[in-house]
Amino acid sequence: MSVSSVETPPRRIALFGNPNVGKTSLFNELTLARHRVGNYAGVTVDRLEGTIAPKFGAGRPLTLLDLPGCYSLTATAQDEAVAQRELSDPTLGGVVVVVDATNLARNLYLALQVAELGVPMVIALNMSDTAAQLGLPVDADALAKVLDVPVVATSGRSGAGCDALVRAIAALPQRRTPRLAPLDASGQTALAGLRTLGGDDARSRWLLCTGAAGTAAEFGATADELERLARLSSAGRCGGARELIAARYAEVDRVLVAALGAHDSTPKTAAVAPAMARSARIDRVLTHRVFGLAVFGLVMATIFTAVFTWAAPLMDGIEAVIGWCSGQLAALLGPGLLTELLTDGVLAGAGNVLVFVPQIAMLFLFLGALEDSGYLARAAFLMDRLMSRLGLHGRAFIPLLSAYACAVPSILGTRAITSFKDRLVTILMIPYVSCSARLPIYSLVIGALFVTDDREGGNLERAGIMLGMYALSTVSALGVGFLYKRTLLRSPTPPLVLELPPYRMPRLRNTFLVVYDRTMDFVRNAGTVIVGLTIVLWALLSFPREETGAGSAGATEISRSYGGRAAQTLEPALEPIGQDWRMGVGIIASFAAREVLVGTLGVVYGMESEDDEPVGLREAIRDDRDPETGEPVHTPLSGLALMVFFVYACQCMSTLAVVRRETQSWRWPAFMFFSMTAFAYLAALLVYQGGRALGFG
């Protein structure tokens, strides 16, 4: 790297465009990052930042900003406001407007709005390969000539055109003359409004449209601009905005005719596009109100069956490796506190959580493939019918879908919802959705107490119970949303405009990268939070040493430890929901993070075992007997009550922290925590006591 390049500050370039045009795929190609991409709109809701890789030979440092996808610069939601603020930043060095070559007419409206800002810009004609396959090639040179900006054909899936795109970015001028859509005689109201607003013409156009949308004050208008906007009547604002929009669409038509000649993209695509026609034929079944839901249920049942069946050998292998490591450590170190700390604390705690990594990875693999294929957009379409009947915002579905992986990014995803009340309803619904941290708990309880042998059809039975837990969480989330929309957060239900992308083969590289990243997040959590908590727990269950016998040969009497005595005081509250004090230790510890329950139980049962090797947790729970009666401590009914408790309890500090940040208040996270915990206890109580009354206990 030369001295001059070191001294040259990076030029900031924004990557911007409509939702689901492949911006993040291009961003990943150009920066060698691997941020999440999806074959539906609304995946990116915040700004991503990276540096264009040196291999593209830009000649100077280029910082790339991946902005949330928008259909217009008239901001009505937080993610659109993020994009609008970045594009208005005077330090921005240029914009790459990513347009979908298969749907040029729709994408050009936003490109013309960016051209009005006067920011140096280049157009990335993305999905050019797909457009060619659809029989709709776009002449990049002709489009560049009519728009008077560089146009580069690209493919975010294959990386084609990225070299040329970087060269075009590097050659962008420092400034550019704004290109305004002309207003003719039919735009008199708009012209009068712009004269009243005065100032910069491009800014006045933005102000007029944002004022008509009623969001100018919320999304960045100054006090002086608001004062000028107040001089316009409501009819003047709305009428002027309509004329501006009509003028831009007229300009889109003119550009299309000039760039594509007599070709009209939409009819031609419909006539010759085999992929779109194939998608339409498939959608007749997959989006059918009856058959579509049946297929959706079948797909999810297949996934959970595969999770149990295919992951079992890998889980047995991990369990065997951990057992071998524990035995080797015990033989090497001999009896003592350090040996018990490493075997009964660290290995038993984190090891029992890592056993479930294959199941989690497979769940992410299936969901990632469905997401990349475009099927999840159809699932959103199916669910919107139900959600709209319940009064819920259709755009809430994507964050709710993401919550099956993790609640934290899905809460950030609610920024795409325009109404604060609708957004808050969605935030309060998300923790009810079963995230990946609940999967080890369900799997442990089902394997220990419900289907305990390898009989034929056992995996199908396990998958059915697991699917039931996920169905319960989904129905509960929708029910809670319905309740809040009609009580605390009453507001009208806006319609959902959802773009269904064409079906395509999932990209294996991206899918496996997503699986790897999400699985490693889980493993890192097991290696930090869970290990830390299990060490603390081991200490609480080991001392006072003279009473517990910790560090000596044989089992540790944890009931006589500080932690054991404290946990036994909770039994009056635990017994009504079918749990003993050992399970109570896990429940209390899991308020930091749900998956801690499994590690905690591994420590508890490991310390009470006579064996030096980590105990098989499912077998230990299954074989746990009351020393006085000889009856099983845990039964299928108590296991069901425990799973129901974990469906509803808010046991994730990270979720509460992000809710605090997004709502700017402790009021809503506190409400979420106490209401969900109380509901979880009552639901578990109803299940256990109701089951006993019916003779299932």
Side-chain angles (χ1 to χ4, degrees):
M1 184 178 289
S2 67
V3 175
S4 59
S5 66
V6 172
E7 295 174 346
T8 303
R11 188 175 186 181
R12 298 169 68 248
I13 304 295
L15 203 59
F16 186 54
N18 284 175
N20 201 32
V21 294
K23 295 184 301 300
T24 305
S25 293
L26 271 180
F27 180 85
N28 288 342
E29 288 290 338
L30 294 170
T31 63
L32 304 184
R34 53 191 199 202
H35 292 288
R36 180 188 172 207
V37 298
N39 189 13
Y40 53 80
V43 173
T44 305
V45 294
D46 204 351
R47 192 191 74 165
L48 304 176
E49 185 171 325
T51 302
I52 291 183
K55 73 171 188 176
F56 292 107
R60 61 170 295 183
L62 294 173
T63 298
L64 200 59
L65 312 175
D66 182 18
L67 303 184
C70 303
Y71 291 105
S72 165
L73 284 181
T74 304
T76 57
Q78 291 294 334
D79 57 340
E80 294 169 339
V82 168
Q84 193 271 328
R85 279 197 297 271
E86 290 294 340
L87 293 176
S88 302
D89 187 340
T91 66
L92 189 67
V95 183
V96 177
V97 180
V98 184
V99 301
D100 179 355
T102 67
N103 201 344
L104 194 57
R106 189 202 67 193
N107 285 237
L108 280 179
Y109 181 87
L110 185 65
L112 291 178
Q113 275 195 298
V114 176
E116 290 180 354
L117 300 177
V119 183
M121 62 183 283
V122 55
I123 288 182
L125 198 59
N126 205 32
M127 305 186 199
S128 293
D129 50 350
T130 305
Q133 293 170 7
L134 297 179
L136 187 66
V138 178
D139 188 336
D141 293 335
L143 189 61
K145 184 176 180 182
V146 69
L147 288 175
D148 193 26
V149 296
V151 177
V152 180
T154 61
S155 171
R157 289 172 67 86
S158 67
C162 286
D163 295 280
L165 181 61
V166 173
R167 288 196 296 273
I169 294 171
L172 280 174
Q174 293 297 319
R175 299 183 62 83
R176 183 179 175 277
T177 303
R179 184 184 191 280
L180 302 175
L183 285 163
D184 55 19
S186 61
Q188 293 304 311
T189 306
L191 287 169
L194 293 174
R195 282 196 297 271
T196 301
L197 293 173
D200 176 71
D201 203 1
R203 180 72 177 179
S204 298
R205 289 181 177 221
W206 172 83
L207 187 60
L208 182 60
C209 292
T210 309
T215 56
E218 186 178 356
F219 294 126
T222 65
D224 176 60
E225 289 173 334
L226 292 175
E227 191 276 330
R228 281 184 279 145
L229 193 60
R231 298 173 194 165
L232 290 176
S233 65
S234 175
R237 290 195 295 269
C238 294
R242 278 196 297 271
E243 290 176 1
L244 264 179
I245 293 169
R248 288 181 185 132
Y249 275 114
E251 184 67 1
V252 167
D253 291 340
R254 193 188 72 77
V255 170
L256 285 173
V257 170
L260 305 177
H263 298 302
D264 183 301
S265 59
T266 303
K268 186 172 181 180
T269 301
V272 300
M276 295 301 293
R278 183 171 59 248
S279 293
R281 287 197 298 272
I282 297 173
D283 280 343
R284 288 185 198 131
V285 177
L286 297 190
T287 61
H288 190 274
R289 63 182 59 197
V290 177
F291 299 132
L293 288 173
V295 171
F296 181 69
L298 185 62
V299 167
M300 299 310 293
T302 303
I303 288 175
F304 285 120
T305 303
V307 163
F308 273 107
T309 305
W310 296 352
L314 292 173
M315 294 171 67
D316 292 342
I318 294 174
E319 213 165 30
V321 169
I322 292 172
W324 181 84
C325 290
S326 182
Q328 294 298 309
L329 266 177
L332 179 66
L333 299 177
L337 274 181
L338 179 61
T339 303
E340 290 191 3
L341 170 63
L342 295 177
T343 57
D344 296 339
V346 177
L347 283 178
N352 274 296
V353 176
L354 293 177
V355 163
F356 296 95
V357 165
Q359 286 187 332
I360 290 173
M362 283 192 183
L363 181 63
F364 287 149
L365 176 65
F366 286 119
L367 292 180
L370 291 177
E371 181 180 313
D372 208 25
S373 70
Y375 177 72
L376 289 190
R378 274 72 183 181
F381 178 80
L382 288 171
M383 292 301 296
D384 178 59
R385 290 173 180 160
L386 173 61
M387 292 178 67
S388 61
R389 289 180 183 176
L390 296 175
L392 302 175
H393 198 300
R395 297 184 79 172
F397 181 76
I398 297 302
L400 289 173
L401 192 64
S402 303
Y404 287 102
C406 180
V408 172
S410 66
I411 289 172
L412 297 177
T414 61
R415 294 176 182 177
I417 299 174
T418 53
S419 161
F420 178 73
K421 285 187 176 180
D422 284 329
R423 188 179 174 216
L424 191 52
V425 168
T426 308
I427 289 174
L428 294 174
M429 293 167 66
I430 283 172
Y432 284 91
V433 177
S434 283
C435 63
S436 60
R438 289 174 169 113
L439 179 63
I441 299 166
Y442 298 156
S443 184
L444 171 67
V445 175
I446 293 170
L449 301 175
F450 284 87
V451 185
T452 58
D453 53 24
D454 296 327
R455 65 177 178 270
E456 187 176 351
N459 283 330
L460 188 61
E461 193 174 338
R462 293 185 185 101
I465 299 171
M466 179 79 80
L467 187 60
M469 289 297 105
Y470 275 81
L472 177 63
S473 76
T474 304
V475 170
S476 301
L478 294 174
V480 165
F482 174 79
L483 178 66
Y484 289 149
K485 279 283 288 188
R486 278 158 179 77
T487 54
L488 294 177
L489 300 165
R490 187 187 299 273
S491 63
T493 304
L496 172 67
V497 178
L498 183 65
E499 183 181 353
L500 296 181
Y503 290 103
R504 64 189 185 197
M505 287 298 294
R507 291 163 290 187
L508 291 179
R509 176 180 177 274
N510 282 356
T511 302
F512 281 116
L513 286 177
V514 168
V515 171
Y516 175 80
D517 288 341
R518 290 178 175 176
T519 304
M520 287 308 297
D521 284 343
F522 181 84
V523 172
R524 277 191 288 271
N525 195 30
T528 53
V529 176
I530 295 175
V531 168
L533 286 174
T534 51
I535 290 174
V536 172
L537 180 65
W538 172 85
L540 289 173
L541 296 178
S542 296
F543 296 96
R545 187 180 173 187
E546 57 275 12
E547 295 191 33
T548 63
S552 307
T556 302
E557 294 287 340
I558 63 172
S559 60
R560 299 180 181 179
S561 68
Y562 296 127
R565 292 172 188 168
Q568 289 172 65
T569 63
L570 300 174
E571 276 200 320
L574 295 167
E575 283 181 353
I577 60 172
Q579 312 305 318
D580 70 338
W581 66 269
R582 292 176 180 80
M583 197 64 75
V585 171
I587 291 174
I588 297 300
S590 60
F591 275 97
R594 293 181 181 91
E595 58 270 41
V596 171
L597 174 80
V598 178
T600 302
L601 293 179
V603 173
V604 169
Y605 282 99
M607 293 181 71
E608 288 195 317
S609 171
E610 298 280 350
D611 202 337
D612 287 336
E613 295 186 0
V615 65
L617 190 51
R618 283 167 287 189
E619 292 76 12
I621 292 175
R622 187 185 310 145
D623 298 337
D624 192 7
R625 301 275 168 176
D626 187 315
E628 296 181 0
T629 65
E631 294 293 320
V633 174
H634 306 287
T635 64
L637 181 60
S638 67
L640 181 62
L642 182 66
M643 289 194 292
V644 169
F645 181 87
F646 273 86
V647 165
Y648 295 124
C650 184
Q651 297 166 297
C652 181
M653 293 298 109
S654 299
T655 298
L656 295 173
V658 77
V659 172
R660 159 69 182 85
R661 193 180 75 177
E662 294 299 305
T663 62
Q664 296 294 304
S665 166
W666 279 111
R667 174 189 172 196
W668 291 109
F671 172 77
M672 176 185 288
F673 175 79
F674 288 110
S675 64
M676 290 185 68
T677 303
F679 187 62
Y681 186 84
L682 290 175
L685 182 69
L686 180 63
V687 168
Y688 187 69
Q689 296 300 332
R692 290 189 66 188
L694 294 173
F696 293 109

